[in-house]
Amino acid sequence: MTYPDLFSPDNIQHIREMRKKFFKTGSTAGITGVRPEILNFWDAYYKITKNPDKTEKQKVSKEDFSRAVESSKVLLSIAVPYMVLLHSFLQQEEGFFISLMDPNGVIIKLVGNPRILEEAKLSGFFESSFRGEGSYPGLFNISWKLDKPFQIISSENPSSLDDNLAGAAAPIHDIHTKKLLGVIGISGYWWNSHSHTLGLVILAAEAISQQLALRQNNAEIASINSSLDMALEAIDSGIVYFNEKGMIKAVNRNAIEMLDSKTTGMTEFKNQSFFSHFQDDSINSIEHIRSIIESNGSYTTNAIPIGKHDSLHCIIRNVANQKNEYIAQIQKSSVFSKSIAKEAFINPLFTFDDIIGNAPILHKAKCMAQIAARHSPTILITGESGTGKEMFAQAIHNSSSRSGGPFIAINCGAIPKSLLESELFGYEAGAFTGAKRGGHPGKFELANNGTIFLDEIGDMPYETQISLLRVLEIKQFTRIGGTKPITVDVTIIAATNQELTTKIAEKSFREDLYYRLNVFNIQLPSLRERINDISLLCEYFTEKYSRIFKKNIRKISEEAIRNLENYNWPGNVRELENAIERATILCTTDRIEITDLPESILGSVLATESLPH
């Protein structure tokens, strides 16, 4: 069926009469010239209200609106610039405004002049209006419901309050999954509107969809970048975009301040040579930089700008696939060392509340650790493997005055002897074959104003122990290949499952280092020494892994608990947690049975019980 010009005054008047007739009777008999989509939505709304002019249009609460805006941050960041551009384009005709709706039907953004937005508000349309399921079937509800572009003119709206308006809306989709991400619309006085408005809003929706896809692709690329990329988002970082000749094409304010404090404008910086700002030979040849990037993916160095004393840490990469264009990310070397400590290491998660158990011997260890946290002495945590030494170390850090600083952990037994000293104390450029250009900060340097946790201290090489002793005595060390002492303020927590006095007798651990480390000793009990805590720990681990594996396990059978309590637990709490994790996976009911436990535990218990008493 063909329809007359939807924008003609005669058609609008005819539709107005048809609407009045329909909402008076609810019958489609005698209704002519109304588009089927409009009539269907009138009919649906009639079942909700017989008088759309006097029915208040829906809105969401402030809390729900805030949540809708928060969940649509990416959509807003891309769509709002297009909305502003559209409004600017349409400003030659007064009375237009641009609207954005989230996928759940909440109006999350309006762009327009105050007068038209106020008029829209009086008709019940504003930010936080709801046009989703069961709501007023105006422009946005129809486009959302049909999931296609749509245009509505004046009296086609169910309520006469909207008769001055016409609008066009189009859904925004994920171009890969076709999932609805939102709806964008252009609304305005009907006498200023045109059928071409629909085409304009379709183009805007498609452009936003394309930009969202591009943003998603960029996010996927960014997710594989190293932690250094994240550190460079810090406030002290700068960005310089230059070509194969070194000519600067774009630069941000932070980079200008770091490179040349005399230059105040970005315009002055453009078309200058990036290399001309450095006095260091390591950053004056594009040929050398290009060769390193081709082999390593990036070029990293420390360089001092002309007229400055402090060095800058520089990372240079190609721009996307453009081999002849480069991005330099620069940061003060001192700030870089601090930010890499924050970015490269996971924040300590455990507190004293996470240490489960009621045994007096465990309570004593926790009390000692809490005292240590208040005073930050050098701490030596001793105990068998699996008793929770790093958990205690993290809890001490998080309860101390250094909780805002970094927590750096290193396993002294897991790093090759030849590399441990450079890992702990760092190295300067050229200190040894394979050393990074510009050097590398060590764990002590990164832990400044925080805590360093030296696990398996008993496995530290004898010659490295001498350097550690110096740090304990005077809080200073020197990078490998360096000459300048570095002073640090750091709490040292060491841990071991070995008898250090035995290692002293064997001449594999320094006695003077032992006394320096053993200022405040915390002895952690084995699980055998707190058998009564096993049921409590089992309950905690069962709840934890039931949640992870989405199971509804409510308890552990008494028989299973008895077997667990009779086991020797050479691996302590860590072994118990592994056993409960395995049992949770195997369990097919709401209760862990003895048959769900590892055979190694059951066999050991049976063998023990079979021994003559």
Side-chain angles (χ1 to χ4, degrees), residues 266-281:
M266 294 187 184
T267 306
E268 297 176 55
F269 238 71
K270 289 182 179 178
N271 294 323
Q272 291 183 13
S273 170
F274 175 59
F275 306 122
S276 68
H277 289 277
F278 293 95
Q279 53 181 292
D280 197 297
D281 290 341

Side-chain angles (χ1 to χ4, degrees), residues 19-199:
R19 180 181 65 190
K20 182 179 179 180
K21 181 178 181 179
F22 174 81
F23 277 100
K24 186 176 180 179
T25 64
S27 171
T28 60
I31 303 297
T32 62
V34 180
R35 291 187 287 167
E37 298 96 337
I38 297 296
L39 195 54
N40 287 339
F41 279 92
W42 283 1
D43 185 54
Y45 201 50
Y46 182 81
K47 294 172 183 175
I48 299 173
T49 176
K50 306 297 186 292
N51 193 342
D53 291 349
K54 294 185 178 180
T55 301
E56 185 177 354
K57 297 171 184 175
Q58 292 172 268
K59 65 178 182 178
V60 298
S61 66
K62 289 182 179 179
E63 293 76 14
D64 287 341
F65 177 66
S66 296
R67 280 192 286 269
V69 170
E70 179 65 23
S71 63
S72 298
K73 282 195 302 185
V74 176
L75 174 64
L76 282 163
S77 68
I78 290 175
V80 169
Y82 281 96
M83 295 170 70
V84 172
L85 186 64
L86 277 173
H87 183 251
S88 175
F89 176 73
L90 294 168
Q91 267 186 335
Q92 55 191 327
E93 297 284 357
E94 288 190 0
F96 281 101
F97 62 96
I98 319 299
S99 313
L100 182 68
M101 187 174 79
D102 82 346
N104 299 311
V106 180
I107 303 299
I108 54 176
K109 186 65 179 178
L110 297 178
V111 173
N113 64 57
R115 185 170 65 83
I116 188 65
L117 292 183
E118 183 61 29
E119 187 169 332
K121 185 176 182 181
L122 292 174
S123 73
F125 191 80
F126 44 84
E127 291 180 359
S128 78
S129 293
F130 179 69
R131 293 295 184 269
E133 189 65 45
S135 69
Y136 175 73
L139 171 66
F140 275 86
N141 177 263
I142 295 175
S143 181
W144 177 82
K145 194 86 172 178
L146 299 177
D147 195 19
K148 71 176 186 179
F150 198 79
Q151 189 166 33
I152 192 168
I153 295 91
S154 183
S155 52
E156 289 183 323
N157 287 291
S159 171
S160 64
L161 296 176
D162 295 327
D163 277 6
N164 282 346
L165 299 175
I172 300 166
H173 291 113
D174 183 310
I175 63 173
H176 301 298
T177 65
K178 308 305 179 185
K179 177 183 177 183
L180 181 69
L181 302 176
V183 179
I184 187 171
I186 300 174
S187 303
Y189 297 128
W190 69 264
W191 52 87
N192 289 334
S193 301
H194 194 277
S195 59
H196 293 165
T197 308
L198 181 61

